[in-house]
Amino acid sequence: MNNQELLLKEIRKLTSTSLNDEISAILNISYDAAHRRVSVKSKFSIDETLQLANHFNISLDKLFLKNDKVIVEKTIEITSLNDMLSYFKKSAERIEHLASNENVTLYYSAKDIPLFYFMDGTIISKFKAYVWLKLLNPNQSDVSFENFVVDESFMEHTQKLKKIYEKVTVKEVWNDTTINSSLQQILYFYESGLLNFNSAKALCLDLKRILNLIKEKSNQSNSNYSIYYNELILLNNNMLIETNKKLTMFIPYTLLGYFITDNLESCKNVHQFFKQQIQNSKSLNQSGIKEQNLFFNRANRKIDYYLERLNNQVDLLF
């Protein structure tokens, strides 16, 4: 059985109407053209194959490849602010489409603070955009953070992502190192002369605001947000979206770059691994005040430590 016959066999399992009529409608081709494809007298193009797979939610890697190979999609490469705008626009469209299903749950393995917290138009939002561009395109000019300008449409797309994030059920796994990279970035750009003291201090205080926001969310009885503290394993910024129809996995390969797949076996394995992580974690939503305070106080003390380092460096200048 060739690949086209395999695809048609899978489609037949998923529809009870005339295959010729349905393929004609989906591909916007004539009945005769659809009949030639169904009878394998002519072949589906690559675009037609993908269109059918998307319509019927068929995993092509599961259908055509061996079990040890997976077809993945990847996000666009970012080397400019325009690339970043396109990245967040497409990300918002993809996640909005997934979130349009019922019973949507988003799992996040927070090696770093999830990027959804940097989408509210505050100083930390601008700083993260600045850092991402600097690290993804080291050849760009040495403009300071204070002179860096973010396009208004950037906030439009990130706000859409934030609204989706707040709408779905969220399960985040954190540990004591989750805030480290943000603090180190603040210190690095301050010491590089690209970030002034007042901005660096404001960024640290904004991180405290985010921690306080998370603590408040975790204490809301009717919240769809859950945060878990795991001290056993290193986290990796993996994200998994579970809907009533399928699982979709986002695997980081660069700072903002993700491979995306809905390969059933791979996603099921990651889904199970997330459940194991959560089982081996402390739920900060269900913990007492003591456990919550221990976690958030440790994070705030780290921020205080970096604030002290910034203050000490300023004192040395005078």
Side-chain angles (χ1 to χ4, degrees):
M1 189 177 293
N2 64 32
N3 290 335
Q4 183 152 322
E5 288 171 329
L6 281 173
L7 177 59
L8 289 166
K9 180 181 178 182
E10 197 68 20
I11 291 173
R12 285 189 176 95
K13 296 177 184 176
L14 302 169
T15 181
S16 57
T17 61
S18 164
L19 200 56
N20 291 336
D21 288 335
E22 189 143 12
I23 288 178
S24 172
I26 295 167
L27 300 182
N28 194 25
I29 57 178
S30 69
Y31 180 91
D32 286 342
H35 175 71
R36 287 194 296 273
R37 286 160 174 76
V38 170
S39 60
V40 201
K41 291 177 181 177
S42 62
K43 295 184 180 299
F44 291 124
S45 69
I46 292 175
D47 286 342
E48 288 173 343
T49 302
L50 292 173
Q51 197 171 345
L52 290 169
N54 287 331
H55 180 85
F56 290 103
N57 194 26
I58 295 171
S59 174
L60 293 178
D61 49 344
K62 180 70 175 176
L63 191 61
F64 297 137
L65 298 182
K66 296 179 180 179
N67 290 334
D68 59 349
K69 292 185 179 180
V70 176
I71 294 174
V72 298
E73 181 184 347
K74 73 182 184 70
T75 53
I76 68 169
E77 304 298 335
I78 301 173
T79 58
S80 68
L81 187 56
N82 283 336
D83 291 339
M84 187 177 291
L85 292 174
S86 181
Y87 169 91
F88 280 109
K89 180 176 183 292
K90 290 181 179 179
S91 297
E93 289 170 353
R94 173 182 288 278
I95 295 179
E96 186 175 39
H97 174 70
L98 290 171
S100 64
N101 293 279
E102 296 179 0
N103 304 319
V104 180
T105 301
L106 185 151
Y107 299 84
Y108 202 109
S109 174
K111 176 183 178 181
D112 305 312
I113 298 174
L115 55 83
F116 300 99
Y117 292 104
F118 305 123
M119 298 181 175
D120 51 5
T122 63
I123 187 171
I124 197 76
S125 306
K126 176 185 172 183
F127 179 68
K128 280 296 179 177
Y130 177 78
V131 170
W132 291 331
L133 281 178
K134 279 287 184 185
L135 297 182
L136 291 168
N137 183 14
N139 296 321
Q140 69 171 351
S141 60
D142 281 341
V143 61
S144 70
F145 167 70
E146 288 72 27
N147 292 324
F148 175 65
V149 178
V150 179
D151 192 286
E152 286 185 9
S153 57
F154 174 79
M155 291 309 302
E156 175 189 339
H157 301 314
T158 56
Q159 283 286 334
K160 184 181 287 188
L161 268 173
K162 183 186 176 188
K163 287 178 181 177
I164 298 167
Y165 183 75
E166 291 173 344
K167 172 185 172 184
V168 303
T169 298
V170 174
K171 296 185 178 183
E172 292 175 359
V173 182
W174 286 47
N175 64 19
D176 287 323
T177 66
T178 297
I179 69 166
N180 287 4
S181 64
S182 293
L183 287 168
Q184 194 58 39
Q185 287 163 3
I186 294 169
L187 184 63
Y188 173 85
F189 284 101
Y190 173 72
E191 291 179 339
S192 299
L194 296 172
L195 177 71
N196 69 34
F197 172 75
N198 288 334
S199 294
K201 183 177 178 182
L203 288 166
C204 288
L205 295 177
D206 211 15
L207 282 178
K208 285 191 171 239
R209 176 192 61 81
I210 288 173
L211 288 176
N212 190 56
L213 172 69
I214 294 168
K215 186 175 182 181
E216 288 178 356
K217 283 172 64 176
S218 65
N219 282 319
Q220 293 172 2
S221 58
N222 60 344
S223 174
N224 59 354
Y225 173 80
S226 301
I227 179 171
Y228 301 88
Y229 170 55
N230 190 303
E231 52 188 333
L232 298 176
I233 62 172
L234 294 174
L235 306 177
N236 57 9
N237 287 337
N238 266 9
M239 186 170 74
L240 182 77
I241 296 181
E242 177 187 13
T243 74
N244 56 330
K245 293 182 178 179
K246 66 176 182 177
L247 297 165
T248 304
M249 176 170 52
F250 299 75
I251 312 108
Y253 70 95
T254 63
L255 188 64
L256 283 177
Y258 276 83
F259 291 125
I260 306 164
T261 181
D262 56 6
N263 173 264
L264 183 59
E265 289 304 315
S266 300
C267 288
K268 282 172 64 177
N269 288 338
V270 171
H271 188 227
Q272 183 60 35
F273 185 61
F274 264 112
K275 288 184 175 180
Q276 290 171 354
Q277 286 186 60
I278 289 171
Q279 191 173 9
N280 292 322
S281 302
K282 293 177 183 176
S283 169
L284 295 179
N285 300 65
Q286 298 174 6
S287 297
I289 294 175
K290 178 183 176 182
E291 288 291 343
Q292 273 196 10
N293 286 343
L294 283 172
F295 175 78
F296 288 107
N297 288 346
R298 281 196 302 270
N300 277 297
R301 281 198 298 271
K302 278 190 181 181
I303 298 174
D304 290 336
Y305 170 74
Y306 275 81
L307 279 168
E308 186 177 349
R309 288 183 66 176
L310 291 170
N311 282 314
N312 289 340
Q313 292 194 37
V314 170
D315 291 342
L316 291 174
L317 297 176
F318 296 96

